[in-house]
Amino acid sequence: MIKSKKTKTVDWIIVIFALLAICICIFPVLNVMAVSLSSNSAITNNKVFLLPVEFTTKAYSYVLSDASVVRSLFFTTYLTLVCTVLSMVITILCAYPLAQTKLVGKKAINIVIIITMYFNAGIIPDYLNVKNLNLLDNFWVLVIPSCLSVFNMIILKTFFRSIPESLKESAKLDGATHWTILSKIYLPLSTPVLATLALFYAVGRWNGFQDALFYISNRNLYTIQLKLYQIVNNLSSIDTHAEANVVSMVTSESMKAATVMFATVPILLIYPWLQRYFIEGATIGAVKG
């Protein structure tokens, strides 16, 4: 098919805007990485932009030598895995029955669930609720309140509804139960959506720090983002006996940048593994309303 001149112009405009968006997203990351790998004098004299100047890894050595940062990284990894698995289980168990046409009270349940997307009690009532449940300084306070995203559930429910009823009816004729239908038919057909939603949950948990900031004071339960928040705002919060000597060799800006990269790179490594599912999974749930 031969494209018209007008169509080619529109395509070039789209490409230009896409390139601009890519630059806007990638330049800050490159700048932070360059700062984390540059020398003290180069950073002080504002010579660093997108490439390291006077390459050095002292900032990373300092970050990796801090046991609290490493501990926060491993804890956040474990927390993210637990939250993602639990969130996916709850999302699936919520989306499947709501996708059934014969579910009694489905409209009322949908309304109640959707209301929670737009209205909430606020920070203070949430804190009092968590406190009354004895969840302060508890691992599960970082898991339970955010284990279900209504938006993600609606995406999965919409996809489940797009699966032909004939598949379910034929399975029922063969004696299949709802658990069998869900595990043998629905879930295998939903791989792109499930992978995408798992990515959403994992990224959301990895980047979250507000709940840890409000509810956690135990240093053993600090997430990597909360630790990063403390380092960026108060470098002295990093507990190390040789801090004075390190600061004399490495600027605070390079240490902050190294910590940002240290907290960002692990979750970025997940994207290549799920990229082939991402676009299909993000849009497939919107095919049918």
Side-chain angles (χ1 to χ4, degrees), residues 164-207:
E165 282 286 325
S166 58
L167 293 177
K168 184 177 69 174
E169 295 300 330
S170 60
K172 283 185 176 180
L173 291 175
D174 292 335
T177 63
H178 281 292
W179 289 109
T180 304
I181 295 171
L182 176 62
S183 60
K184 301 296 184 181
I185 298 177
Y186 277 63
L187 295 185
L189 293 175
S190 308
T191 302
V193 180
L194 296 177
T196 302
L197 297 185
L199 180 62
F200 288 165
Y201 279 122
V203 172
R205 179 59 272 172
W206 183 274
N207 291 332

Side-chain angles (χ1 to χ4, degrees), residues 28 95 131 167 187 236 262:
K131 182 180 179 181
L167 293 177
L187 295 185
S236 63
F262 190 71

Side-chain angles (χ1 to χ4, degrees), residues 62 66 68-69 227 231 234-240 243 255:
Y62 170 69
D66 185 356
S68 64
V69 175
K227 189 65 182 178
I231 293 172
N234 185 11
L235 194 58
S236 63
S237 66
I238 303 178
D239 45 357
T240 175
E243 182 176 359
M255 284 188 283

Side-chain angles (χ1 to χ4, degrees), residues 237-259:
S237 66
I238 303 178
D239 45 357
T240 175
H241 63 281
E243 182 176 359
N245 294 330
V246 174
V247 172
S248 65
M249 295 184 295
V250 187
T251 66
S252 61
E253 290 301 319
S254 65
M255 284 188 283
K256 291 176 184 178
T259 309

Side-chain angles (χ1 to χ4, degrees), residues 57-244:
T57 60
K58 290 180 180 179
Y60 286 96
S61 298
Y62 170 69
V63 172
L64 290 173
S65 67
D66 185 356
S68 64
V69 175
V70 178
R71 182 177 62 245
S72 295
L73 177 66
F74 281 105
F75 172 73
T76 306
T77 303
Y78 173 71
L79 175 65
T80 300
L81 289 174
V82 172
C83 286
T84 302
V85 172
L86 182 61
S87 295
M88 289 304 299
V89 170
I90 294 176
T91 301
I92 291 169
L93 295 181
C94 185
Y96 177 75
L98 291 177
Q100 308 306 309
T101 56
K102 297 180 180 179
L103 178 66
V104 178
K106 182 175 69 174
K107 289 185 178 180
I109 296 173
N110 274 320
I111 292 174
V112 172
I113 292 176
I114 291 174
I115 285 176
T116 63
M117 290 182 63
Y118 303 101
F119 302 98
N120 61 75
I123 295 175
I124 295 177
D126 281 346
Y127 181 86
L128 294 176
N129 187 39
V130 168
K131 182 180 179 181
N132 292 333
L133 292 172
N134 295 320
L135 288 176
L136 292 179
D137 269 343
N138 190 303
F139 172 82
W140 293 104
V141 76
L142 301 175
V143 178
I144 296 175
S146 59
C147 63
L148 175 65
S149 166
V150 176
F151 178 77
N152 291 345
M153 188 276 295
I154 291 175
I155 291 177
L156 186 59
K157 181 194 71 172
T158 304
F159 177 78
F160 281 167
R161 288 177 58 187
S162 68
I163 296 177
E165 282 286 325
S166 58
L167 293 177
K168 184 177 69 174
E169 295 300 330
S170 60
K172 283 185 176 180
L173 291 175
D174 292 335
T177 63
H178 281 292
W179 289 109
T180 304
I181 295 171
L182 176 62
S183 60
K184 301 296 184 181
I185 298 177
Y186 277 63
L187 295 185
L189 293 175
S190 308
T191 302
V193 180
L194 296 177
T196 302
L197 297 185
L199 180 62
F200 288 165
Y201 279 122
V203 172
R205 179 59 272 172
W206 183 274
N207 291 332
F209 84 98
Q210 182 171 288
D211 50 356
L213 180 64
F214 291 160
Y215 308 136
I216 299 297
S217 58
N218 183 352
R219 289 180 177 271
N220 293 327
L221 297 179
Y222 277 8
T223 63
I224 188 64
Q225 299 301 334
L226 179 58
K227 189 65 182 178
L228 171 62
Y229 172 80
Q230 291 183 334
I231 293 172
V232 170
N233 285 277
N234 185 11
L235 194 58
S236 63
S237 66
I238 303 178
D239 45 357
T240 175
H241 63 281
E243 182 176 359

